[in-house]
Amino acid sequence: MKVQDFLFLLVFGAVWIFRKRYLAAAGLVCLILAIPLFSFRIFFTAERLTWYAAAFFVSAAAVMLRTGRGRGH
């Protein structure tokens, strides 16, 4: 496990436990950080950031479906 994976797990756990409403925002931050890395051809880290963003987005969708906020209520 690389350092970036460990940091992702720490951040993901902290956001999941304390501020679930920021899951989608964390995904957007990951995508914004990945854009310059792709332009500098640092593909491994940029690809990981896109996977992390996907994990944040899927978690946000799951939270919204569970709480009923995504159903138009």
Side-chain angles (χ1 to χ4, degrees):
M1 180 181 277
K2 294 194 178 260
V3 174
Q4 63 191 15
D5 296 332
F6 183 70
L7 288 174
F8 164 71
L9 290 175
L10 285 176
V11 170
F12 184 79
V15 172
W16 181 260
I17 291 171
F18 297 113
R19 299 286 182 175
K20 289 183 183 173
R21 65 183 130 161
Y22 294 130
L23 285 168
L28 288 175
V29 168
C30 287
L31 288 178
I32 290 170
L33 290 175
I35 291 170
L37 293 176
F38 275 121
S39 69
F40 292 131
R41 298 179 187 255
I42 305 172
F43 293 120
F44 180 76
T45 304
E47 180 189 7
R48 285 291 175 115
L49 282 171
T50 58
W51 280 104
Y52 300 157
F56 280 121
F57 291 144
V58 168
S59 299
V63 168
M64 285 183 194
L65 286 174
R66 184 176 171 104
T67 60
R69 291 190 335 199
R71 298 183 191 156
H73 290 112

PDB file of all heavy atoms in Angstrom, residues 1-22:
ATOM      1  N   MET A   1       0.849  -1.174   0.000  1.00  0.00           N
ATOM      2  CA  MET A   1       0.000   0.000   0.000  1.00  0.00           C
ATOM      3  C   MET A   1       0.891   1.233   0.000  1.00  0.00           C
ATOM      4  O   MET A   1       1.783   1.363   0.816  1.00  0.00           O
ATOM      5  CB  MET A   1      -0.896  -0.016   1.237  1.00  0.00           C
ATOM      6  CG  MET A   1      -1.806   1.168   1.310  1.00  0.00           C
ATOM      7  SD  MET A   1      -2.855   1.186   2.765  1.00  0.00           S
ATOM      8  CE  MET A   1      -4.163   0.128   2.225  1.00  0.00           C
ATOM      9  N   LYS A   2       0.634   2.113  -0.941  1.00  0.00           N
ATOM     10  CA  LYS A   2       1.437   3.326  -1.065  1.00  0.00           C
ATOM     11  C   LYS A   2       0.940   4.391  -0.086  1.00  0.00           C
ATOM     12  O   LYS A   2      -0.143   4.292   0.479  1.00  0.00           O
ATOM     13  CB  LYS A   2       1.364   3.840  -2.484  1.00  0.00           C
ATOM     14  CG  LYS A   2       2.013   2.904  -3.477  1.00  0.00           C
ATOM     15  CD  LYS A   2       2.218   3.617  -4.776  1.00  0.00           C
ATOM     16  CE  LYS A   2       2.909   2.699  -5.735  1.00  0.00           C
ATOM     17  NZ  LYS A   2       4.316   2.950  -5.831  1.00  0.00           N
ATOM     18  N   VAL A   3       1.750   5.419   0.085  1.00  0.00           N
ATOM     19  CA  VAL A   3       1.436   6.496   1.014  1.00  0.00           C
ATOM     20  C   VAL A   3       0.136   7.188   0.602  1.00  0.00           C
ATOM     21  O   VAL A   3      -0.709   7.511   1.444  1.00  0.00           O
ATOM     22  CB  VAL A   3       2.604   7.506   1.079  1.00  0.00           C
ATOM     23  CG1 VAL A   3       2.242   8.699   1.932  1.00  0.00           C
ATOM     24  CG2 VAL A   3       3.848   6.831   1.608  1.00  0.00           C
ATOM     25  N   GLN A   4      -0.059   7.405  -0.702  1.00  0.00           N
ATOM     26  CA  GLN A   4      -1.270   8.090  -1.154  1.00  0.00           C
ATOM     27  C   GLN A   4      -2.516   7.263  -0.862  1.00  0.00           C
ATOM     28  O   GLN A   4      -3.572   7.823  -0.579  1.00  0.00           O
ATOM     29  CB  GLN A   4      -1.177   8.433  -2.626  1.00  0.00           C
ATOM     30  CG  GLN A   4      -1.087   7.236  -3.541  1.00  0.00           C
ATOM     31  CD  GLN A   4      -0.724   7.627  -4.951  1.00  0.00           C
ATOM     32  OE1 GLN A   4      -0.278   8.733  -5.196  1.00  0.00           O
ATOM     33  NE2 GLN A   4      -0.906   6.713  -5.868  1.00  0.00           N
ATOM     34  N   ASP A   5      -2.406   5.934  -0.908  1.00  0.00           N
ATOM     35  CA  ASP A   5      -3.550   5.092  -0.563  1.00  0.00           C
ATOM     36  C   ASP A   5      -3.878   5.199   0.928  1.00  0.00           C
ATOM     37  O   ASP A   5      -5.045   5.259   1.316  1.00  0.00           O
ATOM     38  CB  ASP A   5      -3.271   3.631  -0.930  1.00  0.00           C
ATOM     39  CG  ASP A   5      -3.100   3.428  -2.414  1.00  0.00           C
ATOM     40  OD1 ASP A   5      -3.679   4.214  -3.192  1.00  0.00           O
ATOM     41  OD2 ASP A   5      -2.389   2.481  -2.788  1.00  0.00           O
ATOM     42  N   PHE A   6      -2.849   5.222   1.744  1.00  0.00           N
ATOM     43  CA  PHE A   6      -3.055   5.364   3.179  1.00  0.00           C
ATOM     44  C   PHE A   6      -3.682   6.714   3.516  1.00  0.00           C
ATOM     45  O   PHE A   6      -4.618   6.786   4.323  1.00  0.00           O
ATOM     46  CB  PHE A   6      -1.713   5.196   3.912  1.00  0.00           C
ATOM     47  CG  PHE A   6      -1.833   5.250   5.400  1.00  0.00           C
ATOM     48  CD1 PHE A   6      -2.444   4.234   6.110  1.00  0.00           C
ATOM     49  CD2 PHE A   6      -1.346   6.346   6.090  1.00  0.00           C
ATOM     50  CE1 PHE A   6      -2.564   4.297   7.487  1.00  0.00           C
ATOM     51  CE2 PHE A   6      -1.463   6.412   7.466  1.00  0.00           C
ATOM     52  CZ  PHE A   6      -2.068   5.388   8.159  1.00  0.00           C
ATOM     53  N   LEU A   7      -3.200   7.774   2.865  1.00  0.00           N
ATOM     54  CA  LEU A   7      -3.788   9.103   3.088  1.00  0.00           C
ATOM     55  C   LEU A   7      -5.237   9.151   2.633  1.00  0.00           C
ATOM     56  O   LEU A   7      -6.078   9.766   3.284  1.00  0.00           O
ATOM     57  CB  LEU A   7      -2.973  10.176   2.383  1.00  0.00           C
ATOM     58  CG  LEU A   7      -1.621  10.486   2.990  1.00  0.00           C
ATOM     59  CD1 LEU A   7      -0.847  11.457   2.109  1.00  0.00           C
ATOM     60  CD2 LEU A   7      -1.778  11.040   4.384  1.00  0.00           C
ATOM     61  N   PHE A   8      -5.528   8.493   1.502  1.00  0.00           N
ATOM     62  CA  PHE A   8      -6.916   8.436   1.034  1.00  0.00           C
ATOM     63  C   PHE A   8      -7.799   7.753   2.064  1.00  0.00           C
ATOM     64  O   PHE A   8      -8.896   8.237   2.363  1.00  0.00           O
ATOM     65  CB  PHE A   8      -7.016   7.700  -0.300  1.00  0.00           C
ATOM     66  CG  PHE A   8      -8.417   7.291  -0.636  1.00  0.00           C
ATOM     67  CD1 PHE A   8      -9.357   8.248  -0.997  1.00  0.00           C
ATOM     68  CD2 PHE A   8      -8.816   5.971  -0.559  1.00  0.00           C
ATOM     69  CE1 PHE A   8     -10.670   7.881  -1.289  1.00  0.00           C
ATOM     70  CE2 PHE A   8     -10.112   5.599  -0.853  1.00  0.00           C
ATOM     71  CZ  PHE A   8     -11.046   6.557  -1.211  1.00  0.00           C
ATOM     72  N   LEU A   9      -7.353   6.636   2.599  1.00  0.00           N
ATOM     73  CA  LEU A   9      -8.164   5.933   3.593  1.00  0.00           C
ATOM     74  C   LEU A   9      -8.395   6.779   4.837  1.00  0.00           C
ATOM     75  O   LEU A   9      -9.494   6.773   5.407  1.00  0.00           O
ATOM     76  CB  LEU A   9      -7.513   4.601   3.957  1.00  0.00           C
ATOM     77  CG  LEU A   9      -7.544   3.541   2.862  1.00  0.00           C
ATOM     78  CD1 LEU A   9      -6.756   2.310   3.301  1.00  0.00           C
ATOM     79  CD2 LEU A   9      -8.965   3.167   2.507  1.00  0.00           C
ATOM     80  N   LEU A  10      -7.380   7.516   5.256  1.00  0.00           N
ATOM     81  CA  LEU A  10      -7.549   8.408   6.412  1.00  0.00           C
ATOM     82  C   LEU A  10      -8.561   9.515   6.118  1.00  0.00           C
ATOM     83  O   LEU A  10      -9.458   9.779   6.933  1.00  0.00           O
ATOM     84  CB  LEU A  10      -6.214   9.022   6.814  1.00  0.00           C
ATOM     85  CG  LEU A  10      -5.236   8.128   7.542  1.00  0.00           C
ATOM     86  CD1 LEU A  10      -3.925   8.865   7.772  1.00  0.00           C
ATOM     87  CD2 LEU A  10      -5.809   7.661   8.855  1.00  0.00           C
ATOM     88  N   VAL A  11      -8.426  10.151   4.965  1.00  0.00           N
ATOM     89  CA  VAL A  11      -9.341  11.237   4.606  1.00  0.00           C
ATOM     90  C   VAL A  11     -10.746  10.702   4.396  1.00  0.00           C
ATOM     91  O   VAL A  11     -11.727  11.276   4.877  1.00  0.00           O
ATOM     92  CB  VAL A  11      -8.838  11.984   3.356  1.00  0.00           C
ATOM     93  CG1 VAL A  11      -9.879  12.946   2.830  1.00  0.00           C
ATOM     94  CG2 VAL A  11      -7.549  12.716   3.669  1.00  0.00           C
ATOM     95  N   PHE A  12     -10.857   9.574   3.697  1.00  0.00           N
ATOM     96  CA  PHE A  12     -12.166   8.986   3.442  1.00  0.00           C
ATOM     97  C   PHE A  12     -12.862   8.616   4.751  1.00  0.00           C
ATOM     98  O   PHE A  12     -14.040   8.908   4.943  1.00  0.00           O
ATOM     99  CB  PHE A  12     -12.022   7.751   2.553  1.00  0.00           C
ATOM    100  CG  PHE A  12     -13.327   7.138   2.158  1.00  0.00           C
ATOM    101  CD1 PHE A  12     -14.071   7.693   1.133  1.00  0.00           C
ATOM    102  CD2 PHE A  12     -13.821   6.017   2.798  1.00  0.00           C
ATOM    103  CE1 PHE A  12     -15.283   7.143   0.761  1.00  0.00           C
ATOM    104  CE2 PHE A  12     -15.018   5.459   2.438  1.00  0.00           C
ATOM    105  CZ  PHE A  12     -15.762   6.024   1.417  1.00  0.00           C
ATOM    106  N   GLY A  13     -12.114   8.014   5.655  1.00  0.00           N
ATOM    107  CA  GLY A  13     -12.690   7.652   6.949  1.00  0.00           C
ATOM    108  C   GLY A  13     -13.123   8.866   7.750  1.00  0.00           C
ATOM    109  O   GLY A  13     -14.192   8.875   8.357  1.00  0.00           O
ATOM    110  N   ALA A  14     -12.302   9.897   7.737  1.00  0.00           N
ATOM    111  CA  ALA A  14     -12.645  11.106   8.481  1.00  0.00           C
ATOM    112  C   ALA A  14     -13.880  11.781   7.901  1.00  0.00           C
ATOM    113  O   ALA A  14     -14.779  12.202   8.639  1.00  0.00           O
ATOM    114  CB  ALA A  14     -11.459  12.072   8.477  1.00  0.00           C
ATOM    115  N   VAL A  15     -13.939  11.876   6.574  1.00  0.00           N
ATOM    116  CA  VAL A  15     -15.103  12.506   5.943  1.00  0.00           C
ATOM    117  C   VAL A  15     -16.336  11.650   6.177  1.00  0.00           C
ATOM    118  O   VAL A  15     -17.429  12.168   6.446  1.00  0.00           O
ATOM    119  CB  VAL A  15     -14.848  12.737   4.433  1.00  0.00           C
ATOM    120  CG1 VAL A  15     -16.107  13.192   3.730  1.00  0.00           C
ATOM    121  CG2 VAL A  15     -13.748  13.752   4.236  1.00  0.00           C
ATOM    122  N   TRP A  16     -16.194  10.345   6.091  1.00  0.00           N
ATOM    123  CA  TRP A  16     -17.335   9.435   6.279  1.00  0.00           C
ATOM    124  C   TRP A  16     -17.884   9.521   7.707  1.00  0.00           C
ATOM    125  O   TRP A  16     -19.093   9.534   7.923  1.00  0.00           O
ATOM    126  CB  TRP A  16     -16.925   8.009   5.955  1.00  0.00           C
ATOM    127  CG  TRP A  16     -18.037   7.036   6.097  1.00  0.00           C
ATOM    128  CD1 TRP A  16     -18.262   6.204   7.137  1.00  0.00           C
ATOM    129  CD2 TRP A  16     -19.121   6.807   5.177  1.00  0.00           C
ATOM    130  NE1 TRP A  16     -19.392   5.472   6.919  1.00  0.00           N
ATOM    131  CE2 TRP A  16     -19.935   5.813   5.728  1.00  0.00           C
ATOM    132  CE3 TRP A  16     -19.448   7.350   3.950  1.00  0.00           C
ATOM    133  CZ2 TRP A  16     -21.074   5.362   5.073  1.00  0.00           C
ATOM    134  CZ3 TRP A  16     -20.574   6.885   3.312  1.00  0.00           C
ATOM    135  CH2 TRP A  16     -21.368   5.916   3.877  1.00  0.00           C
ATOM    136  N   ILE A  17     -17.004   9.618   8.672  1.00  0.00           N
ATOM    137  CA  ILE A  17     -17.444   9.634  10.075  1.00  0.00           C
ATOM    138  C   ILE A  17     -17.990  11.001  10.480  1.00  0.00           C
ATOM    139  O   ILE A  17     -19.042  11.093  11.108  1.00  0.00           O
ATOM    140  CB  ILE A  17     -16.278   9.226  11.002  1.00  0.00           C
ATOM    141  CG1 ILE A  17     -15.955   7.741  10.794  1.00  0.00           C
ATOM    142  CG2 ILE A  17     -16.616   9.480  12.464  1.00  0.00           C
ATOM    143  CD1 ILE A  17     -14.694   7.284  11.488  1.00  0.00           C
ATOM    144  N   PHE A  18     -17.275  12.069  10.129  1.00  0.00           N
ATOM    145  CA  PHE A  18     -17.617  13.377  10.664  1.00  0.00           C
ATOM    146  C   PHE A  18     -18.501  14.236   9.757  1.00  0.00           C
ATOM    147  O   PHE A  18     -19.384  14.924  10.238  1.00  0.00           O
ATOM    148  CB  PHE A  18     -16.340  14.157  11.002  1.00  0.00           C
ATOM    149  CG  PHE A  18     -15.518  13.494  12.067  1.00  0.00           C
ATOM    150  CD1 PHE A  18     -14.283  12.967  11.765  1.00  0.00           C
ATOM    151  CD2 PHE A  18     -15.993  13.365  13.358  1.00  0.00           C
ATOM    152  CE1 PHE A  18     -13.524  12.343  12.738  1.00  0.00           C
ATOM    153  CE2 PHE A  18     -15.250  12.747  14.345  1.00  0.00           C
ATOM    154  CZ  PHE A  18     -14.004  12.228  14.029  1.00  0.00           C
ATOM    155  N   ARG A  19     -18.264  14.246   8.464  1.00  0.00           N
ATOM    156  CA  ARG A  19     -18.974  15.168   7.572  1.00  0.00           C
ATOM    157  C   ARG A  19     -19.400  14.462   6.296  1.00  0.00           C
ATOM    158  O   ARG A  19     -18.831  14.666   5.238  1.00  0.00           O
ATOM    159  CB  ARG A  19     -18.073  16.340   7.190  1.00  0.00           C
ATOM    160  CG  ARG A  19     -17.616  17.173   8.337  1.00  0.00           C
ATOM    161  CD  ARG A  19     -18.742  18.023   8.838  1.00  0.00           C
ATOM    162  NE  ARG A  19     -18.261  18.866   9.919  1.00  0.00           N
ATOM    163  CZ  ARG A  19     -18.974  19.776  10.484  1.00  0.00           C
ATOM    164  NH1 ARG A  19     -20.194  19.989  10.096  1.00  0.00           N
ATOM    165  NH2 ARG A  19     -18.475  20.483  11.468  1.00  0.00           N
ATOM    166  N   LYS A  20     -20.429  13.640   6.365  1.00  0.00           N
ATOM    167  CA  LYS A  20     -20.874  12.892   5.193  1.00  0.00           C
ATOM    168  C   LYS A  20     -21.378  13.801   4.080  1.00  0.00           C
ATOM    169  O   LYS A  20     -21.355  13.434   2.923  1.00  0.00           O
ATOM    170  CB  LYS A  20     -21.957  11.894   5.582  1.00  0.00           C
ATOM    171  CG  LYS A  20     -21.432  10.761   6.385  1.00  0.00           C
ATOM    172  CD  LYS A  20     -22.519   9.754   6.690  1.00  0.00           C
ATOM    173  CE  LYS A  20     -21.953   8.672   7.577  1.00  0.00           C
ATOM    174  NZ  LYS A  20     -22.950   7.748   8.045  1.00  0.00           N
ATOM    175  N   ARG A  21     -21.795  15.002   4.429  1.00  0.00           N
ATOM    176  CA  ARG A  21     -22.311  15.896   3.393  1.00  0.00           C
ATOM    177  C   ARG A  21     -21.205  16.434   2.494  1.00  0.00           C
ATOM    178  O   ARG A  21     -21.477  17.009   1.448  1.00  0.00           O
ATOM    179  CB  ARG A  21     -23.093  17.040   4.012  1.00  0.00           C
ATOM    180  CG  ARG A  21     -22.238  17.943   4.859  1.00  0.00           C
ATOM    181  CD  ARG A  21     -23.049  18.998   5.507  1.00  0.00           C
ATOM    182  NE  ARG A  21     -22.708  19.006   6.919  1.00  0.00           N
ATOM    183  CZ  ARG A  21     -22.934  19.984   7.715  1.00  0.00           C
ATOM    184  NH1 ARG A  21     -23.555  21.040   7.261  1.00  0.00           N
ATOM    185  NH2 ARG A  21     -22.588  19.928   8.964  1.00  0.00           N
ATOM    186  N   TYR A  22     -19.947  16.254   2.866  1.00  0.00           N
ATOM    187  CA  TYR A  22     -18.825  16.723   2.069  1.00  0.00           C
ATOM    188  C   TYR A  22     -18.206  15.634   1.199  1.00  0.00           C
ATOM    189  O   TYR A  22     -17.136  15.837   0.625  1.00  0.00           O
ATOM    190  CB  TYR A  22     -17.735  17.322   2.960  1.00  0.00           C
ATOM    191  CG  TYR A  22     -18.162  18.587   3.655  1.00  0.00           C
ATOM    192  CD1 TYR A  22     -17.984  18.755   5.013  1.00  0.00           C
ATOM    193  CD2 TYR A  22     -18.754  19.618   2.944  1.00  0.00           C
ATOM    194  CE1 TYR A  22     -18.372  19.911   5.651  1.00  0.00           C
ATOM    195  CE2 TYR A  22     -19.152  20.782   3.566  1.00  0.00           C
ATOM    196  CZ  TYR A  22     -18.959  20.925   4.925  1.00  0.00           C
ATOM    197  OH  TYR A  22     -19.355  22.074   5.546  1.00  0.00           O
TER     198      TYR A  22
END
